[in-house]
Amino acid sequence: MNLAGTPLLITGLTAVVLTALLIAVTWERGGRLRVVLRTVGVIAALLSVTVTVLVQLNRMTEAYVDPEADSVASGTESDESEPDAAEPELSEPDSASTTSTASARSTIRAFKVKGKASGLTLSMYVYLPAAYGTGNQRFPVVQAAHGYPGSPRTWLKKLEVQSVLDAEIAAGRMAPTVVLFPFQTPRQLLDTECTNMRGGPQTETFLTVDVPAFAKAHLRVRTDRAGWGLIGYSAGGYCATSLALRNPTKYAAAASMSGLAGPGIVVGDGKEHTEHNVAWRLQHMPRPAMALWIGWAKDEEKIRRDSLLIARAARPPISLTTAEVERGGHNHAVWRQMEAPAFNWLSAQLGRPLP
Amino acid sequence: MRRESAVGRGRGESRWVGVFMSLTGIPLLVVAGFVAVVSAAMTILLWSRFGRWRFVVRTLGVLVTEVLVVLCVGLVANRSEQFYPSWSALAGDTGTETATAPTLVGELDGTLAGRSTTTWEPPDLKSWRLAATPTVTVPSEYSPAYPAADSRPYPVLVVLGASGVVADPVPGVVMVTLIPTRATNAQALRTLLPSLRRAFRVTSDRWALVAGAGEVTLAGRLVRALPTQFSAMALVQNAPKPFTAALGHTPAGTAVAVVGPVKPSGSSPKLPSTVTVLTTAAPKAWRTAITWTTAHLSPPLAPPLVLPTGKTE
């Protein structure tokens, strides 16, 4: 069953009502076992409420999903038997989002990336613009990082990224671009913040070595720095700026929507507040020539404070663009508003599709 | 925490709601907690009343109490994490308009109709001390029928020196060709930016520069004089020994290549490791240099959607 689906929520709500009814009806019953029966009823009620709340939270974030049994691809599963996915199956485009002409449509494809450098094998969705289907152009690439809790499906479902990209490309505000949506953790409860965790998953290596190598080997994309950028929301915003600054020879630009300056987890190398902190890096380490876009909501104090720290430290040769949403906090409505401007900006920073 | 009075108030909310019943404030939390406790107490007090209807009352009491407790937990979580700092944020209102960047029009766009190349005599031409009047070459899609619906600004390719092979329009860029003299000075040439932006529909930054062998010193000075202007610079060489003097201190944001029959090894001076060497036969060098530099530029894009930039100081 889909962990973020409506059927599971209805099941949970039904369980909540039934357990309440169970307590009400059986309170005086059970004779000598009455206490046991009451206890069981109360525990069942608490459990059902807790689980239902968690299911609803998961529906809101699309965080815990089974990438193998996935509904983004309209029932098409990624190819499990071929971990390299050299010839992955083509997924149907999201029904809610198509380009204006029926013949030229963008597609979302699912891949399994077997990371040789990191040892991680994780799923990745790929947005292929409508223009990918014709000609032999090599496209610029944007790598999109998701938040925590979250998953690439949050981009696809909550931020409706396919229809946003379709609209921006059709309007000419973006060049046709391939966008990658890799998973960022092998265990969905583990927040990696896109780092190489001491004694844990080597996520930074996976995202900055294995994912680009896979894309360059299997997709018609640009292979040079000028054609690669990063974007992310929330924890993914931190991922975008941090990964770009840590790998300035691989990425030319990064856009962070409501990202913190630091990882907020224990990476294990003792550098959480120094080399893993974007503001600290910009202040204390040689700044690479790179374009950064930092967006925040004015009423979200922590993110705003960190964004301003980053903005003030982002002196040349960093080229900085900022964006402020008047209010909205830390949620999808804010990121929906930032999404198109951030992608527009990224496309202007990156090199064009090459013939 | 003073955020309930400072921020988190939506435009449509009254002052009373903003101050006393902020979504992230203590008052709302207290009210919700109080109501939850009352609900729990009422459920217990009325547990065995209402005869046969007691099952309904009990069930409703349990459900209402559960909902209120979940609500309290949600309010506490929202208060600490600021998911929705205000009622209007909860309603999905960001109070922010996404705008479209203004459309640019070049003063000379109209004179180009049907032509791809034009000579260009800007007011500050004299200060540049060029050997000839600059030419501007645009691709056919730049002005199909002015005023065209397409308002995309084009990235610029600046060509320094007579190439002889770059008369054809380069796809997706406005190409301006300048033939310098010994008297041409990079500082004076800085006015190329505002002049070209006034005359033609071009981007404000992310330009490319290609210079012939005789112009490498001027090219190096020009990218240093405009350190955020050029994404890429290619220097066309016509000898195996690359000219390195111009490459010493190019801005970090400018990718640099030397193009031509260059042999990067052996007796030639050592090139900085950041410089790309594109070894090619001399006749192809200009074409290669143009392809390489323009690959660093975005295609002409429609004016982007933009958000307010906010105060950072």
Side-chain angles (χ1 to χ4, degrees), chain B residues 53-138:
Chain B
W53 285 98
R54 66 184 189 275
F55 299 127
V56 176
V57 173
R58 286 175 181 181
T59 307
L60 288 179
V62 168
L63 287 177
V64 168
T65 307
E66 284 173 345
V67 167
L68 286 166
V69 169
V70 168
L71 187 71
C72 288
V73 173
L75 285 173
V76 170
N78 187 51
R79 182 178 156 80
S80 92
E81 294 299 314
Q82 301 266 295
F83 296 117
Y84 300 96
S86 65
W87 292 100
S88 48
L90 188 64
D93 166 24
T94 59
T96 308
E97 297 286 329
T98 302
T100 305
T103 304
L104 299 168
V105 179
E107 285 172 0
L108 300 183
D109 281 1
T111 67
L112 276 166
R115 281 187 302 161
S116 66
T117 300
T118 184
T119 53
W120 175 46
E121 293 184 49
D124 31 13
L125 178 58
K126 269 193 179 152
S127 69
W128 298 346
R129 302 198 181 179
L130 301 176
T133 309
T135 58
V136 171
T137 308
V138 300

Side-chain angles (χ1 to χ4, degrees), chain A residues 28 312 322 324 326 337 349, chain B residues 58 94 96 206 308-309 312:
Chain A
E28 289 94 355
R312 285 166 195 153
T322 58
E324 183 180 73
E326 187 62 26
Q337 182 142 24
Q349 310 307 313
Chain B
R58 286 175 181 181
T94 59
T96 308
R206 298 190 56 78
T309 54
T312 55

